[in-house]
Amino acid sequence: ANDVTFNRVIVTDGSAAAPAITFSGDTNLGIYRIGADNLAIAAAGARVLDISAAGEIITPLQPAFLAFNSADDTNQTGNGADVTIDFDTEVFDQGGDFAADTLTAPVTGRYRLSVTVAGQNFGAGTNIGSVKIVTSNRTYVVIKNSLPITNVLDSMTISVLADMDAADTASGGYQVTGMAGDTVTIDGSTTPHYTTFSGELVA
């Protein structure tokens, strides 16, 4: 066979539904041009990767979420009760994988997860508190001794890179011990956000 040399191959811009560079067996998978110096990759007819002229890479379908507690939940813990934290409002849920205070992993991978919980109404007997991220594979815990009983609000944060399998779940937990009853309130507010849960698939 003879070798053929091409200086350039120029194609039309294409679109997410019909990429300019594609495959005979899968014509809605491939590369196309969004605009000036803006390259994109499509899969199943949707934009899954966007590279700007400045080199920023956007993955618009990559699972990611941020949720918060919008109102106080009273008498949740204090006497050792281990409660699932309420995150009733979503700021965003890219991929639609967060519901009912819980992330459900859409695929197997490594997920960066972070929970912050703010509590108030600590009694004189308060001696320890913990915030947790509870996944199907394992539980991660940050413990704080001698919670300040004079503060109106006390906050704890945990962040992990968690291994999750497809359909595994993750939620946030909170526990305060040493009091005579469960009188500790998990703080919630529409603004600012004191109690939050966020995460993303990173690998």
Side-chain angles (χ1 to χ4, degrees):
N2 294 325
D3 292 334
V4 179
T5 300
F6 295 96
N7 291 326
R8 303 177 71 187
V9 176
I10 299 176
V11 298
T12 60
D13 287 353
S15 65
I21 301 174
T22 187
F23 304 89
S24 61
D26 198 349
T27 58
N28 60 6
L29 171 70
I31 301 171
Y32 68 102
R33 176 182 179 270
I34 296 177
D37 300 318
N38 192 180
L39 183 70
I41 295 176
R47 178 172 58 99
V48 296
L49 185 70
D50 182 336
I51 304 174
S52 75
E56 298 100 346
I57 298 175
I58 301 170
T59 52
L61 301 184
Q62 188 79 344
F65 73 95
L66 170 61
F68 65 92
N69 187 22
S70 67
D72 289 351
D73 295 316
T74 60
N75 302 328
Q76 294 295 295
T77 186
N79 194 27
D82 196 347
V83 295
T84 299
I85 305 169
D86 181 29
F87 303 102
D88 58 16
T89 304
E90 294 179 358
V91 178
F92 59 86
D93 184 8
Q94 191 165 282
D97 305 303
F98 186 84
D101 309 323
T102 303
L103 167 70
T104 301
V107 296
T108 297
R110 307 291 185 263
Y111 290 77
R112 174 66 66 186
L113 305 173
S114 180
V115 169
T116 294
V117 58
Q120 56 182 321
N121 299 328
F122 302 103
T126 304
N127 56 28
I128 193 168
S130 65
V131 60
K132 306 177 182 181
I133 294 176
V134 182
T135 74
S136 299
N137 287 335
R138 63 199 84 251
T139 297
Y140 309 88
V141 184
V142 166
I143 296 174
K144 187 174 186 178
N145 289 308
S146 300
L147 281 168
I149 62 174
T150 56
N151 287 3
V152 175
L153 204 62
D154 186 76
S155 186
M156 301 174 67
T157 297
I158 182 171
S159 181
V160 298
L161 183 62
D163 59 310
M164 298 183 70
D165 303 312
D168 278 0
T169 60
S171 60
Y174 186 49
Q175 182 186 55
V176 175
T177 65
M179 297 171 57
D182 292 328
T183 60
V184 173
T185 293
I186 295 177
D187 196 76
S189 172
T190 56
T191 181
H193 305 321
Y194 294 110
T195 299
T196 61
F197 188 13
S198 61
E200 60 177 330
L201 173 64
V202 297

